[in-house]
Amino acid sequence: MSEYEYQVSAAGRINIIGEHVDYCGGKVFPVALSLRNTVYVRPNGTNKINIRWTTLPDEVSLDIDRLESYNNLKYGNYQAGCALVWRQAGHKLVGCDMLQDCTVPFGSGLSSSAAIEVSTIAALAVVAGEKIDPVEIALLAQRAEREYAGVNCGIMDQYASACGRKDMCMLLDCKTLECKYVPFSTGDYALVIANTNKPHSLVGSKYNERRAECESAFGILSKVMDITCLADVKSKDFEKYSHLLGGKVRDRARHVVEECERVERAVEAMESGDIVALGKLLNASHKSLEELYEVTGKELDALAEAAQKHPDCVGSRMTGGGFGGCTISLVKRSAVGDFIAKVGEEYRQKTGYQAAFYNAEIADGIIVTKLQTK
Ligand code: GLA
């Protein structure tokens, strides 16, 4: 990589708890991972952004004066979107050569797209000689995701990807963007990430549909309650007014209200070292995402259920947007090998898919390294 000047990377993430609440103004509890997207980059003195990938034969050359015209590319549309939002925000955009290398498995629910967007924008900032502002980059990356991937996502993934810290969880208030860093500590338990390897489909449209249902619940409840977002609703008040909401919308809103309360309890459990209590909250979160929010599906349910049955696992749930993707499980460290063998086998028998298990560390968000050029 000696022909490049900088190595700029950003993280994939898992969310420990607080699922499908970020776009309702709730608090989430993600960590950034050592699975990342890395951009090797150098300015090239032209008006072109030339992109290569370590995993693809394709090469793409984007003209920085025609960025609006690239939304139908097979590859490179995310990067074009990132460059466009970066410039629209008033930043300097310079031509450069990029090599993209992603170790976040695609379609896994571990936010490969956020890692790509955040690292690409950070790389553009570095070659333009601008200062890295991780929160601004997260917000711009979110805009690129909304406009270029068509997913009306919340801020969790991009924030975690940009602002993560090694060995820390982020308790992020998605209404105010205040973030409290909480040491990740699970004592004798390891956090095991398992991929259903079920390619997720229709994610965007279902995601946007859930989001609209929450907006409709907020619209109705805000007429009778003093709230600024759905996450402001407490469960005891929800019981008073839930009859105003229709069936599915009521279920979706109940998930959001109760999940927000689970986040508070999960943070307390982690801070006090009560990993069994934390595990129970993970199980409850999965159940709610399965039954009330309906974003799990057969494979995630089979994987979480096999994990929850294992005697050395205290809790397991889907993580991320759902409809396929990954679970996380808290497993006695000494039993991780046995857990992987048994859960993998049971999952394969039930679904026909081979699960993958990852051993990722909790890492920093954006990392910029100056390379030694030849
Ligand atoms: C996706 C979105 C996030 C968040 C999660 C669900 O990952 O990008 O903003 O809504 O789903 O918690």
PDB file of all heavy atoms in Angstrom, residues 13 15 18-23 28 109 111 142 145 151-158 207 211 317-322, ligand 1:
ATOM      1  N   ARG A  13     -20.313  -2.158  13.472  1.00  0.00           N
ATOM      2  CA  ARG A  13     -20.775  -2.061  14.861  1.00  0.00           C
ATOM      3  C   ARG A  13     -21.740  -3.192  15.203  1.00  0.00           C
ATOM      4  O   ARG A  13     -22.333  -3.804  14.318  1.00  0.00           O
ATOM      5  CB  ARG A  13     -21.474  -0.720  15.128  1.00  0.00           C
ATOM      6  CG  ARG A  13     -22.773  -0.476  14.341  1.00  0.00           C
ATOM      7  CD  ARG A  13     -24.034  -0.845  15.105  1.00  0.00           C
ATOM      8  NE  ARG A  13     -25.218  -0.840  14.263  1.00  0.00           N
ATOM      9  CZ  ARG A  13     -25.653  -1.881  13.591  1.00  0.00           C
ATOM     10  NH1 ARG A  13     -24.983  -3.030  13.603  1.00  0.00           N
ATOM     11  NH2 ARG A  13     -26.759  -1.819  12.857  1.00  0.00           N
ATOM     12  N   ASN A  15     -25.039  -3.479  18.109  1.00  0.00           N
ATOM     13  CA  ASN A  15     -25.777  -2.750  19.134  1.00  0.00           C
ATOM     14  C   ASN A  15     -26.101  -3.749  20.240  1.00  0.00           C
ATOM     15  O   ASN A  15     -26.660  -4.810  19.970  1.00  0.00           O
ATOM     16  CB  ASN A  15     -27.065  -2.185  18.528  1.00  0.00           C
ATOM     17  CG  ASN A  15     -27.821  -1.305  19.505  1.00  0.00           C
ATOM     18  OD1 ASN A  15     -27.237  -0.819  20.482  1.00  0.00           O
ATOM     19  ND2 ASN A  15     -29.095  -1.093  19.255  1.00  0.00           N
ATOM     20  N   GLY A  18     -31.337  -1.686  22.501  1.00  0.00           N
ATOM     21  CA  GLY A  18     -31.916  -0.406  22.089  1.00  0.00           C
ATOM     22  C   GLY A  18     -32.110  -0.462  20.579  1.00  0.00           C
ATOM     23  O   GLY A  18     -31.583   0.349  19.826  1.00  0.00           O
ATOM     24  N   GLU A  19     -32.926  -1.464  20.144  1.00  0.00           N
ATOM     25  CA  GLU A  19     -33.064  -1.686  18.697  1.00  0.00           C
ATOM     26  C   GLU A  19     -34.332  -1.044  18.157  1.00  0.00           C
ATOM     27  O   GLU A  19     -35.400  -1.137  18.776  1.00  0.00           O
ATOM     28  CB  GLU A  19     -33.085  -3.193  18.439  1.00  0.00           C
ATOM     29  CG  GLU A  19     -32.396  -3.588  17.172  1.00  0.00           C
ATOM     30  CD  GLU A  19     -30.906  -3.273  17.201  1.00  0.00           C
ATOM     31  OE1 GLU A  19     -30.136  -4.111  17.689  1.00  0.00           O
ATOM     32  OE2 GLU A  19     -30.518  -2.179  16.743  1.00  0.00           O
ATOM     33  N   HIS A  20     -34.181  -0.405  17.017  1.00  0.00           N
ATOM     34  CA  HIS A  20     -35.287   0.298  16.362  1.00  0.00           C
ATOM     35  C   HIS A  20     -35.863   1.383  17.272  1.00  0.00           C
ATOM     36  O   HIS A  20     -37.071   1.542  17.358  1.00  0.00           O
ATOM     37  CB  HIS A  20     -36.372  -0.680  15.891  1.00  0.00           C
ATOM     38  CG  HIS A  20     -35.974  -1.403  14.639  1.00  0.00           C
ATOM     39  ND1 HIS A  20     -36.070  -0.837  13.389  1.00  0.00           N
ATOM     40  CD2 HIS A  20     -35.434  -2.628  14.453  1.00  0.00           C
ATOM     41  CE1 HIS A  20     -35.620  -1.696  12.477  1.00  0.00           C
ATOM     42  NE2 HIS A  20     -35.222  -2.782  13.094  1.00  0.00           N
ATOM     43  N   VAL A  21     -34.984   2.053  17.988  1.00  0.00           N
ATOM     44  CA  VAL A  21     -35.448   3.208  18.777  1.00  0.00           C
ATOM     45  C   VAL A  21     -34.696   4.481  18.397  1.00  0.00           C
ATOM     46  O   VAL A  21     -35.091   5.565  18.806  1.00  0.00           O
ATOM     47  CB  VAL A  21     -35.323   2.967  20.317  1.00  0.00           C
ATOM     48  CG1 VAL A  21     -36.141   1.750  20.743  1.00  0.00           C
ATOM     49  CG2 VAL A  21     -33.876   2.838  20.768  1.00  0.00           C
ATOM     50  N   ASP A  22     -33.603   4.354  17.607  1.00  0.00           N
ATOM     51  CA  ASP A  22     -32.810   5.569  17.334  1.00  0.00           C
ATOM     52  C   ASP A  22     -33.630   6.613  16.577  1.00  0.00           C
ATOM     53  O   ASP A  22     -33.610   7.802  16.902  1.00  0.00           O
ATOM     54  CB  ASP A  22     -31.465   5.270  16.636  1.00  0.00           C
ATOM     55  CG  ASP A  22     -31.562   4.602  15.272  1.00  0.00           C
ATOM     56  OD1 ASP A  22     -32.651   4.101  14.916  1.00  0.00           O
ATOM     57  OD2 ASP A  22     -30.530   4.580  14.567  1.00  0.00           O
ATOM     58  N   TYR A  23     -34.421   6.136  15.599  1.00  0.00           N
ATOM     59  CA  TYR A  23     -35.222   7.110  14.824  1.00  0.00           C
ATOM     60  C   TYR A  23     -36.474   7.556  15.571  1.00  0.00           C
ATOM     61  O   TYR A  23     -37.281   8.312  15.035  1.00  0.00           O
ATOM     62  CB  TYR A  23     -35.559   6.551  13.439  1.00  0.00           C
ATOM     63  CG  TYR A  23     -36.144   5.157  13.445  1.00  0.00           C
ATOM     64  CD1 TYR A  23     -37.490   4.937  13.716  1.00  0.00           C
ATOM     65  CD2 TYR A  23     -35.337   4.049  13.188  1.00  0.00           C
ATOM     66  CE1 TYR A  23     -38.024   3.655  13.732  1.00  0.00           C
ATOM     67  CE2 TYR A  23     -35.854   2.763  13.208  1.00  0.00           C
ATOM     68  CZ  TYR A  23     -37.206   2.580  13.483  1.00  0.00           C
ATOM     69  OH  TYR A  23     -37.725   1.301  13.497  1.00  0.00           O
ATOM     70  N   VAL A  28     -29.512   4.325  22.492  1.00  0.00           N
ATOM     71  CA  VAL A  28     -29.002   3.051  21.989  1.00  0.00           C
ATOM     72  C   VAL A  28     -27.689   2.756  22.703  1.00  0.00           C
ATOM     73  O   VAL A  28     -27.115   3.636  23.369  1.00  0.00           O
ATOM     74  CB  VAL A  28     -28.811   3.096  20.457  1.00  0.00           C
ATOM     75  CG1 VAL A  28     -30.156   3.226  19.761  1.00  0.00           C
ATOM     76  CG2 VAL A  28     -27.891   4.256  20.046  1.00  0.00           C
ATOM     77  N   GLY A 109     -25.826  -6.969   8.796  1.00  0.00           N
ATOM     78  CA  GLY A 109     -26.398  -6.184   9.885  1.00  0.00           C
ATOM     79  C   GLY A 109     -25.321  -5.633  10.806  1.00  0.00           C
ATOM     80  O   GLY A 109     -25.609  -5.156  11.903  1.00  0.00           O
ATOM     81  N   SER A 111     -23.364  -3.192   9.805  1.00  0.00           N
ATOM     82  CA  SER A 111     -23.152  -1.832   9.309  1.00  0.00           C
ATOM     83  C   SER A 111     -21.950  -1.662   8.407  1.00  0.00           C
ATOM     84  O   SER A 111     -21.152  -0.742   8.576  1.00  0.00           O
ATOM     85  CB  SER A 111     -23.021  -0.844  10.470  1.00  0.00           C
ATOM     86  OG  SER A 111     -24.257  -0.665  11.046  1.00  0.00           O
ATOM     87  N   GLN A 142     -24.905   9.600   7.374  1.00  0.00           N
ATOM     88  CA  GLN A 142     -26.327   9.240   7.489  1.00  0.00           C
ATOM     89  C   GLN A 142     -27.109   9.827   6.304  1.00  0.00           C
ATOM     90  O   GLN A 142     -27.967   9.177   5.722  1.00  0.00           O
ATOM     91  CB  GLN A 142     -26.882   9.764   8.817  1.00  0.00           C
ATOM     92  CG  GLN A 142     -28.374   9.468   8.999  1.00  0.00           C
ATOM     93  CD  GLN A 142     -28.990  10.292  10.118  1.00  0.00           C
ATOM     94  OE1 GLN A 142     -28.546  11.414  10.389  1.00  0.00           O
ATOM     95  NE2 GLN A 142     -29.993   9.741  10.778  1.00  0.00           N
ATOM     96  N   GLU A 145     -26.497   7.757   3.273  1.00  0.00           N
ATOM     97  CA  GLU A 145     -27.241   6.487   3.343  1.00  0.00           C
ATOM     98  C   GLU A 145     -28.711   6.705   2.966  1.00  0.00           C
ATOM     99  O   GLU A 145     -29.303   5.950   2.219  1.00  0.00           O
ATOM    100  CB  GLU A 145     -27.124   5.923   4.767  1.00  0.00           C
ATOM    101  CG  GLU A 145     -27.979   4.696   5.049  1.00  0.00           C
ATOM    102  CD  GLU A 145     -27.362   3.381   4.562  1.00  0.00           C
ATOM    103  OE1 GLU A 145     -26.146   3.368   4.300  1.00  0.00           O
ATOM    104  OE2 GLU A 145     -28.109   2.399   4.431  1.00  0.00           O
ATOM    105  N   VAL A 151     -32.495   4.139   2.455  1.00  0.00           N
ATOM    106  CA  VAL A 151     -32.960   3.692   3.770  1.00  0.00           C
ATOM    107  C   VAL A 151     -33.028   4.915   4.672  1.00  0.00           C
ATOM    108  O   VAL A 151     -32.022   5.595   4.870  1.00  0.00           O
ATOM    109  CB  VAL A 151     -32.014   2.627   4.379  1.00  0.00           C
ATOM    110  CG1 VAL A 151     -32.513   2.200   5.751  1.00  0.00           C
ATOM    111  CG2 VAL A 151     -31.923   1.425   3.456  1.00  0.00           C
ATOM    112  N   ASN A 152     -34.220   5.150   5.210  1.00  0.00           N
ATOM    113  CA  ASN A 152     -34.445   6.340   6.025  1.00  0.00           C
ATOM    114  C   ASN A 152     -33.957   6.067   7.449  1.00  0.00           C
ATOM    115  O   ASN A 152     -34.729   6.066   8.402  1.00  0.00           O
ATOM    116  CB  ASN A 152     -35.953   6.637   5.987  1.00  0.00           C
ATOM    117  CG  ASN A 152     -36.261   8.029   6.450  1.00  0.00           C
ATOM    118  OD1 ASN A 152     -35.358   8.855   6.621  1.00  0.00           O
ATOM    119  ND2 ASN A 152     -37.533   8.296   6.695  1.00  0.00           N
ATOM    120  N   CYS A 153     -32.641   5.811   7.572  1.00  0.00           N
ATOM    121  CA  CYS A 153     -32.105   5.250   8.821  1.00  0.00           C
ATOM    122  C   CYS A 153     -31.965   6.303   9.915  1.00  0.00           C
ATOM    123  O   CYS A 153     -32.005   7.505   9.663  1.00  0.00           O
ATOM    124  CB  CYS A 153     -30.740   4.629   8.544  1.00  0.00           C
ATOM    125  SG  CYS A 153     -29.514   5.826   8.028  1.00  0.00           S
ATOM    126  N   GLY A 154     -31.773   5.811  11.142  1.00  0.00           N
ATOM    127  CA  GLY A 154     -31.453   6.679  12.264  1.00  0.00           C
ATOM    128  C   GLY A 154     -29.955   6.990  12.254  1.00  0.00           C
ATOM    129  O   GLY A 154     -29.268   6.754  11.251  1.00  0.00           O
ATOM    130  N   ILE A 155     -29.438   7.472  13.379  1.00  0.00           N
ATOM    131  CA  ILE A 155     -28.039   7.919  13.425  1.00  0.00           C
ATOM    132  C   ILE A 155     -27.109   6.884  14.061  1.00  0.00           C
ATOM    133  O   ILE A 155     -25.893   7.015  14.021  1.00  0.00           O
ATOM    134  CB  ILE A 155     -27.949   9.290  14.164  1.00  0.00           C
ATOM    135  CG1 ILE A 155     -26.538   9.915  14.068  1.00  0.00           C
ATOM    136  CG2 ILE A 155     -28.367   9.174  15.623  1.00  0.00           C
ATOM    137  CD1 ILE A 155     -26.060  10.201  12.676  1.00  0.00           C
ATOM    138  N   MET A 156     -27.679   5.823  14.631  1.00  0.00           N
ATOM    139  CA  MET A 156     -26.847   4.916  15.431  1.00  0.00           C
ATOM    140  C   MET A 156     -25.626   4.371  14.689  1.00  0.00           C
ATOM    141  O   MET A 156     -24.501   4.438  15.201  1.00  0.00           O
ATOM    142  CB  MET A 156     -27.688   3.737  15.913  1.00  0.00           C
ATOM    143  CG  MET A 156     -26.844   2.661  16.582  1.00  0.00           C
ATOM    144  SD  MET A 156     -27.790   1.385  17.370  1.00  0.00           S
ATOM    145  CE  MET A 156     -28.409   0.443  15.988  1.00  0.00           C
ATOM    146  N   ASP A 157     -25.826   3.823  13.503  1.00  0.00           N
ATOM    147  CA  ASP A 157     -24.730   3.096  12.846  1.00  0.00           C
ATOM    148  C   ASP A 157     -23.576   4.029  12.498  1.00  0.00           C
ATOM    149  O   ASP A 157     -22.405   3.720  12.750  1.00  0.00           O
ATOM    150  CB  ASP A 157     -25.221   2.435  11.550  1.00  0.00           C
ATOM    151  CG  ASP A 157     -26.368   1.490  11.788  1.00  0.00           C
ATOM    152  OD1 ASP A 157     -26.657   1.189  12.965  1.00  0.00           O
ATOM    153  OD2 ASP A 157     -26.991   1.056  10.803  1.00  0.00           O
ATOM    154  N   GLN A 158     -23.913   5.157  11.901  1.00  0.00           N
ATOM    155  CA  GLN A 158     -22.858   6.073  11.465  1.00  0.00           C
ATOM    156  C   GLN A 158     -22.153   6.690  12.676  1.00  0.00           C
ATOM    157  O   GLN A 158     -20.948   6.891  12.664  1.00  0.00           O
ATOM    158  CB  GLN A 158     -23.445   7.158  10.553  1.00  0.00           C
ATOM    159  CG  GLN A 158     -23.921   6.656   9.192  1.00  0.00           C
ATOM    160  CD  GLN A 158     -25.273   5.955   9.234  1.00  0.00           C
ATOM    161  OE1 GLN A 158     -25.989   6.017  10.229  1.00  0.00           O
ATOM    162  NE2 GLN A 158     -25.625   5.278   8.153  1.00  0.00           N
ATOM    163  N   TYR A 207     -38.056  -1.516   6.629  1.00  0.00           N
ATOM    164  CA  TYR A 207     -37.498  -0.579   7.602  1.00  0.00           C
ATOM    165  C   TYR A 207     -38.276   0.740   7.542  1.00  0.00           C
ATOM    166  O   TYR A 207     -38.736   1.270   8.556  1.00  0.00           O
ATOM    167  CB  TYR A 207     -36.017  -0.355   7.291  1.00  0.00           C
ATOM    168  CG  TYR A 207     -35.309   0.532   8.287  1.00  0.00           C
ATOM    169  CD1 TYR A 207     -34.620  -0.028   9.361  1.00  0.00           C
ATOM    170  CD2 TYR A 207     -35.332   1.914   8.173  1.00  0.00           C
ATOM    171  CE1 TYR A 207     -33.974   0.778  10.286  1.00  0.00           C
ATOM    172  CE2 TYR A 207     -34.694   2.722   9.087  1.00  0.00           C
ATOM    173  CZ  TYR A 207     -34.006   2.153  10.137  1.00  0.00           C
ATOM    174  OH  TYR A 207     -33.376   2.958  11.049  1.00  0.00           O
ATOM    175  N   ARG A 211     -40.696   2.601  10.397  1.00  0.00           N
ATOM    176  CA  ARG A 211     -40.447   3.974  10.799  1.00  0.00           C
ATOM    177  C   ARG A 211     -41.722   4.819  10.648  1.00  0.00           C
ATOM    178  O   ARG A 211     -42.058   5.612  11.524  1.00  0.00           O
ATOM    179  CB  ARG A 211     -39.311   4.532   9.935  1.00  0.00           C
ATOM    180  CG  ARG A 211     -38.867   5.826  10.424  1.00  0.00           C
ATOM    181  CD  ARG A 211     -37.605   6.311   9.808  1.00  0.00           C
ATOM    182  NE  ARG A 211     -37.467   7.670  10.323  1.00  0.00           N
ATOM    183  CZ  ARG A 211     -36.351   8.264  10.568  1.00  0.00           C
ATOM    184  NH1 ARG A 211     -35.227   7.669  10.338  1.00  0.00           N
ATOM    185  NH2 ARG A 211     -36.327   9.487  11.052  1.00  0.00           N
ATOM    186  N   ARG A 317     -29.777 -12.140  21.291  1.00  0.00           N
ATOM    187  CA  ARG A 317     -30.765 -11.361  20.534  1.00  0.00           C
ATOM    188  C   ARG A 317     -30.216 -10.999  19.158  1.00  0.00           C
ATOM    189  O   ARG A 317     -29.000 -11.040  18.927  1.00  0.00           O
ATOM    190  CB  ARG A 317     -31.119 -10.060  21.265  1.00  0.00           C
ATOM    191  CG  ARG A 317     -29.951  -9.107  21.431  1.00  0.00           C
ATOM    192  CD  ARG A 317     -30.354  -7.834  22.159  1.00  0.00           C
ATOM    193  NE  ARG A 317     -31.132  -6.989  21.324  1.00  0.00           N
ATOM    194  CZ  ARG A 317     -30.662  -6.076  20.472  1.00  0.00           C
ATOM    195  NH1 ARG A 317     -29.362  -5.861  20.361  1.00  0.00           N
ATOM    196  NH2 ARG A 317     -31.451  -5.356  19.748  1.00  0.00           N
ATOM    197  N   MET A 318     -31.136 -10.636  18.262  1.00  0.00           N
ATOM    198  CA  MET A 318     -30.706 -10.083  16.992  1.00  0.00           C
ATOM    199  C   MET A 318     -30.109  -8.698  17.237  1.00  0.00           C
ATOM    200  O   MET A 318     -30.447  -8.037  18.214  1.00  0.00           O
ATOM    201  CB  MET A 318     -31.868  -9.961  16.006  1.00  0.00           C
ATOM    202  CG  MET A 318     -33.008  -9.088  16.477  1.00  0.00           C
ATOM    203  SD  MET A 318     -33.949  -8.343  15.125  1.00  0.00           S
ATOM    204  CE  MET A 318     -33.079  -6.789  14.864  1.00  0.00           C
ATOM    205  N   THR A 319     -29.209  -8.273  16.357  1.00  0.00           N
ATOM    206  CA  THR A 319     -28.650  -6.927  16.486  1.00  0.00           C
ATOM    207  C   THR A 319     -28.745  -6.213  15.142  1.00  0.00           C
ATOM    208  O   THR A 319     -28.630  -6.862  14.095  1.00  0.00           O
ATOM    209  CB  THR A 319     -27.193  -6.986  16.999  1.00  0.00           C
ATOM    210  OG1 THR A 319     -26.751  -5.680  17.316  1.00  0.00           O
ATOM    211  CG2 THR A 319     -26.243  -7.634  16.003  1.00  0.00           C
ATOM    212  N   GLY A 320     -29.018  -4.917  15.168  1.00  0.00           N
ATOM    213  CA  GLY A 320     -29.115  -4.153  13.914  1.00  0.00           C
ATOM    214  C   GLY A 320     -30.544  -4.096  13.407  1.00  0.00           C
ATOM    215  O   GLY A 320     -31.504  -4.247  14.170  1.00  0.00           O
ATOM    216  N   GLY A 321     -30.687  -3.898  12.122  1.00  0.00           N
ATOM    217  CA  GLY A 321     -32.010  -3.666  11.533  1.00  0.00           C
ATOM    218  C   GLY A 321     -32.891  -4.905  11.477  1.00  0.00           C
ATOM    219  O   GLY A 321     -34.107  -4.819  11.474  1.00  0.00           O
ATOM    220  N   GLY A 322     -32.288  -6.109  11.399  1.00  0.00           N
ATOM    221  CA  GLY A 322     -33.074  -7.342  11.360  1.00  0.00           C
ATOM    222  C   GLY A 322     -33.338  -7.841   9.950  1.00  0.00           C
ATOM    223  O   GLY A 322     -32.630  -7.456   9.014  1.00  0.00           O
TER     224      GLY A 322
HETATM  225  C1  GLA B   1     -30.374  -0.060  11.078  1.00  0.00           C
HETATM  226  C2  GLA B   1     -30.378   1.469  10.995  1.00  0.00           C
HETATM  227  C3  GLA B   1     -30.173   2.117  12.364  1.00  0.00           C
HETATM  228  C4  GLA B   1     -31.129   1.518  13.405  1.00  0.00           C
HETATM  229  C5  GLA B   1     -31.105  -0.003  13.356  1.00  0.00           C
HETATM  230  C6  GLA B   1     -32.143  -0.622  14.261  1.00  0.00           C
HETATM  231  O1  GLA B   1     -29.113  -0.534  11.432  1.00  0.00           O
HETATM  232  O2  GLA B   1     -29.386   1.925  10.107  1.00  0.00           O
HETATM  233  O3  GLA B   1     -30.331   3.511  12.266  1.00  0.00           O
HETATM  234  O4  GLA B   1     -32.425   2.009  13.223  1.00  0.00           O
HETATM  235  O5  GLA B   1     -31.330  -0.504  12.039  1.00  0.00           O
HETATM  236  O6  GLA B   1     -31.890  -0.334  15.582  1.00  0.00           O
END
